[in-house]
Amino acid sequence: MSTVKKQEFITIVKRIMKKISDDVIKQNQMPILDLPKIGYDNTVWSNEKRMLTTGDKKVEVSPDSVKRIPTFAQYLVMANAVKKLLDEDMESTIRGMYYATLSNVGDDKNKQKFWTGQDDSDNAIKAVELLTGIPREEFSVTSKPKGMISGPIKLRVGGDIIDCNLGSRATSQLIPTNIGDVQIEDVKADFVMVVEKDTVLNNIRKSGFIQKYNAILLTGSGEPDRATRMMVKILNEKWKKPVVVFADADPWGLGIALRYKIGSESLSYDSERLVTPNAQVLGMMFSDIYEFNIPEVARLTATDEDINRANDMKKKPWMQNKQWQKELNLFLNKKEKCELDAFFKHGFKYLSETYLPQKLRLAGLI
């Protein structure tokens, strides 16, 4: 974190603490923390920005009842812990922040842990982001690395150059979680292809796909972390590389693919940094199950949870595009889903040599 950003964060936290102190001591009133409400009921689709954004609803967090005291205390404890992290010029994962702030509260007879679990700690970190307006990567709190990248791109991390094309048939590089420490030195690829899972990326990479089509392969290994989403956005918007996304043909896979393109309800407040509106979701479409003759034995029966998820997606204002409605209707009619890996029933090279090239040709990328 830069010295300027570090000082900005510390100044904001001190201002918040002083306001709380003044409310209690000088004004003799309950302190209140105002922050944007995060969730489905305050997520707004922006046609102009082509992404999910946060609405105008606010949440007031105050220690004005026994039930609300823990949440108020947790936010302040986490803000203080982040300040301490910066004072010591250190870095931590969100898991590390959970342990750093873990303690027992109450007397010997009513002792309990300060956090009921890491979800509470993670929510407190998110609250600190919202209260300060500073993303957690900029105050040196990151997640465990998940994203992987391979192809003709060079990254500078600290003083080291990472050539992601070296051994690209054999291995991929982890995307550093603190993307602020990463500089992209050179990109020679024609386009970026994102796939949902690392197992699929490995298959495509070993086939020689990168060399044949001059592509960068990326994965968030399932639900993508923020660093992977930011890397995709930078490659598209700063380096002007087209981005295509492939995920499993089920409502959850479609949701993961759309994280890159439109964002998510849980991180709608950070869409400007994370979302790549120009990304194209090319597959795996529900219609691909039938157009590419996936054998019945390789198809999966939709669960009630899958069907509920699809019905919910159909109602979302950002899913009213005719293509998505048609695909979701097909899924609800057939009640079948499919993984990208199912193409291996046609042979281990079918995915990289037949399905993906056909999709990319239709998109005009090869």
Side-chain angles (χ1 to χ4, degrees):
M1 186 180 192
S2 69
T3 303
V4 174
K5 278 289 184 183
K6 175 180 174 180
Q7 193 54 53
E8 179 186 352
F9 180 88
I10 292 173
T11 299
I12 293 171
V13 170
K14 284 183 175 178
R15 188 186 307 137
I16 291 169
M17 298 297 188
K18 185 177 186 305
K19 174 68 166 56
I20 292 170
S21 175
D22 287 348
D23 284 344
V24 174
I25 298 172
K26 295 182 179 180
Q27 304 298 326
N28 194 29
Q29 64 184 21
M30 281 291 179
I32 294 174
L33 296 174
D34 280 314
L35 58 160
K37 183 176 177 58
I38 300 301
Y40 73 93
D41 57 344
N42 195 34
T43 298
V44 178
W45 171 250
S46 171
N47 279 317
E48 179 185 358
K49 296 180 178 179
R50 295 182 295 152
M51 63 179 66
L52 300 180
T53 58
T54 301
D56 297 328
K57 295 180 182 178
K58 298 285 186 179
V59 174
E60 292 186 347
V61 180
S62 175
D64 57 0
S65 70
V66 173
K67 186 177 180 180
R68 298 177 72 183
I69 287 173
T71 301
F72 184 85
Q74 287 168 358
Y75 290 2
L76 297 188
V77 165
M78 185 57 72
N80 188 61
V82 173
K83 178 182 176 299
K84 183 179 179 181
L85 183 74
L86 296 178
D87 286 340
E88 296 180 8
D89 198 25
M90 293 296 290
E91 184 174 309
S92 174
T93 62
I94 56 175
R95 183 68 172 169
M97 295 306 290
Y98 165 70
Y99 278 110
T101 51
L102 190 61
S103 64
N104 290 319
V105 294
D107 56 29
D108 290 339
K109 292 182 179 179
N110 300 290
K111 188 179 293 185
Q112 59 184 8
K113 289 186 177 180
F114 185 65
W115 307 109
T116 57
Q118 191 182 330
D119 284 349
D120 286 346
S121 171
D122 292 352
N123 286 336
I125 293 171
K126 186 179 290 186
V128 173
E129 290 183 281
L130 294 168
L131 287 167
T132 62
I134 297 175
R136 71 181 187 214
E137 292 85 3
E138 294 189 18
F139 51 71
S140 300
V141 175
T142 59
S143 305
K144 180 181 177 181
K146 290 180 63 186
M148 301 175 72
I149 185 169
S150 188
I153 176 173
K154 292 181 181 179
L155 308 176
R156 180 184 293 275
V157 183
D160 299 323
I161 294 290
I162 300 173
D163 188 344
C164 301
N165 210 31
L166 289 176
S168 60
R169 282 190 183 224
T171 187
S172 299
Q173 299 290 338
L174 280 172
I175 298 172
T177 54
N178 195 344
I179 206 74
D181 292 340
V182 180
Q183 287 182 297
I184 298 176
E185 292 288 307
D186 190 30
V187 181
K188 295 190 182 300
D190 293 327
F191 64 94
V192 177
M193 188 167 77
V194 183
V195 294
E196 178 182 345
K197 294 179 289 193
D198 54 347
T199 52
V200 172
L201 181 144
N202 292 338
N203 173 271
I204 299 168
R205 189 192 67 231
K206 289 179 180 179
S207 74
F209 184 94
I210 290 171
Q211 293 76 15
K212 185 173 182 178
Y213 296 108
N214 195 34
I216 289 172
L217 294 184
L218 257 153
T219 182
S221 300
E223 188 68 39
D225 61 343
R226 307 205 301 190
T228 302
R229 295 190 223 182
M230 284 188 277
M231 177 64 75
V232 171
K233 185 178 181 70
I234 291 168
L235 288 169
N236 177 250
E237 296 189 358
K238 182 176 179 181
W239 289 86
K240 308 302 180 186
K241 302 300 177 183
V243 171
V244 294
V245 187
F246 290 89
D248 292 341
D250 66 56
W252 310 96
L254 175 56
I256 285 172
L258 291 173
R259 298 283 184 274
Y260 295 97
K261 182 174 177 62
I262 67 171
S264 61
E265 293 170 330
S266 62
L267 287 174
S268 59
Y269 65 92
D270 209 11
S271 287
E272 296 279 2
R273 292 192 322 133
L274 303 178
V275 176
T276 308
N278 291 326
Q280 298 181 70
V281 179
L282 297 186
M284 181 183 182
M285 299 297 178
F286 297 112
S287 54
D288 290 342
I289 299 173
Y290 313 102
E291 290 178 12
F292 287 86
N293 300 312
I294 297 296
E296 285 189 27
V297 71
R299 304 174 198 171
L300 302 170
T301 302
T303 65
D304 289 343
E305 190 176 16
D306 294 330
I307 292 168
N308 290 338
R309 170 72 167 158
N311 279 317
D312 182 60
M313 293 178 84
K314 271 179 58 66
K315 299 173 186 175
K316 300 294 186 183
W318 50 89
M319 295 296 290
Q320 297 310 303
N321 176 284
K322 288 183 180 179
Q323 178 195 17
W324 296 127
Q325 289 290 311
K326 181 180 178 181
E327 290 291 333
L328 288 167
N329 284 333
L330 177 63
F331 168 75
L332 290 167
N333 179 47
K334 296 284 191 178
K335 295 182 172 55
E336 289 183 318
K337 58 184 181 179
C338 195
E339 296 181 286
L340 276 165
D341 314 63
F343 282 113
F344 297 164
K345 281 295 295 178
H346 291 316
F348 290 110
K349 292 186 176 181
Y350 185 90
L351 182 64
S352 58
E353 293 186 353
T354 302
Y355 174 72
L356 292 173
Q358 185 166 326
K359 285 284 188 172
L360 293 169
R361 287 188 192 98
L362 288 172
L365 291 177
I366 62 173

